[in-house]
Amino acid sequence: MSKIEEIDPRDIDYHRWSRVHATVNRTWTMTSNIAEPLNAVTKDARELPIFDLLEYMRTLLERWTNEKLLKANGTFTFLGSKFNKELENNRTLSHKLRVSASTDHIHTVIDGVKRYIVCLESKKCSCGQFQLEELPCVHALAALRNGNETYENYCSPYYTKKSLLRTCEIPVNPLPDESK
């Protein structure tokens, strides 16, 4: 960080480097926009005439949308498969934790020698992961299990199968014949 500060001190701010300190929710997206993956897969197609390039791009987006739709339709869980897998990993790890409830919503979760405070009402954990990812962290799942509650009300609605299906509602329309 000190080397970056030597070049340009304006780039040192934590909100530029860390999801925890970001002023906006960056979710789990690792690229700045869709241009990066599109540039990678259209490298050769960029040499095509404009109509062929557009048709290539259209069929690429059509294929991606269809693959996402098939994957979402094949999911039989409340959450999409990526988020359900993350939740299952957290659930497995949560079984080794000790929980003590202060109130219905506030719990102390002990992980070895570390202590975490979980507030289910505000969907926050002192580890920061619960509020950052909007998916119950290991500690929150331990607190939910302690109170015999299910996780569904504590996940971002964007991670649900229903929301994933809605992202595929807008069709990728075919282009007319080149003569049109």
Side-chain angles (χ1 to χ4, degrees):
M1 295 300 268
S2 60
K3 288 181 182 183
I4 293 170
E5 191 172 20
E6 288 173 17
I7 297 168
D8 189 348
R10 294 174 298 169
D11 287 337
I12 199 71
D13 296 335
Y14 284 109
H15 74 276
R16 296 180 185 265
W17 297 91
S18 169
R19 284 176 47 208
V20 173
H21 295 283
T23 56
V24 296
N25 186 352
R26 295 185 183 165
T27 66
W28 291 358
T29 304
M30 297 306 289
T31 59
S32 57
N33 57 40
I34 195 168
E36 291 176 36
L38 278 176
N39 281 339
V41 297
T42 60
K43 194 176 202 173
D44 296 330
R46 284 184 265 166
E47 303 300 320
L48 295 172
I50 189 68
F51 181 84
D52 295 332
L53 172 64
L54 290 174
E55 180 60 12
Y56 179 88
M57 299 285 285
R58 187 199 65 76
T59 56
L60 177 66
L61 291 173
E62 182 179 67
R63 188 177 79 240
W64 284 354
T65 301
N66 191 48
E67 287 170 3
K68 289 188 181 299
L69 181 62
L70 289 172
K71 189 172 183 177
N73 276 325
T75 301
F76 299 104
T77 55
F78 175 72
L79 298 176
S81 58
K82 174 182 177 179
F83 307 106
N84 194 64
K85 182 178 180 183
E86 179 75 17
L87 195 72
E88 286 301 319
N89 290 341
N90 286 349
R91 185 178 288 130
T92 301
L93 294 172
S94 75
H95 286 285
K96 67 178 184 169
L97 307 179
R98 290 183 301 141
V99 180
S100 101
S102 298
T103 67
D104 287 344
H105 298 290
I106 299 174
H107 297 77
T108 302
V109 180
I110 300 169
D111 183 1
V113 295
K114 293 186 178 179
R115 190 179 311 260
Y116 299 91
I117 308 302
V118 175
C119 179
L120 296 174
E121 187 174 44
S122 61
K123 300 179 184 175
K124 290 184 178 180
C125 178
S126 59
C127 76
Q129 188 177 353
F130 192 8
Q131 55 271 31
L132 178 66
E133 295 183 353
E134 297 183 47
L135 193 71
C137 63
V138 175
H139 317 108
L141 285 169
L144 288 168
R145 188 181 66 251
N146 186 65
N148 290 322
E149 289 191 59
T150 60
Y151 66 87
E152 286 90 350
N153 294 329
Y154 298 92
C155 300
S156 171
Y158 297 118
Y159 301 154
T160 63
K161 176 182 174 178
K162 182 179 177 182
S163 285
L164 294 172
L165 286 170
R166 285 189 19 232
T167 64
C168 302
E169 284 179 347
I170 300 171
V172 178
N173 293 316
L175 291 172
D177 184 70
E178 188 174 358
S179 64
K180 303 282 185 196

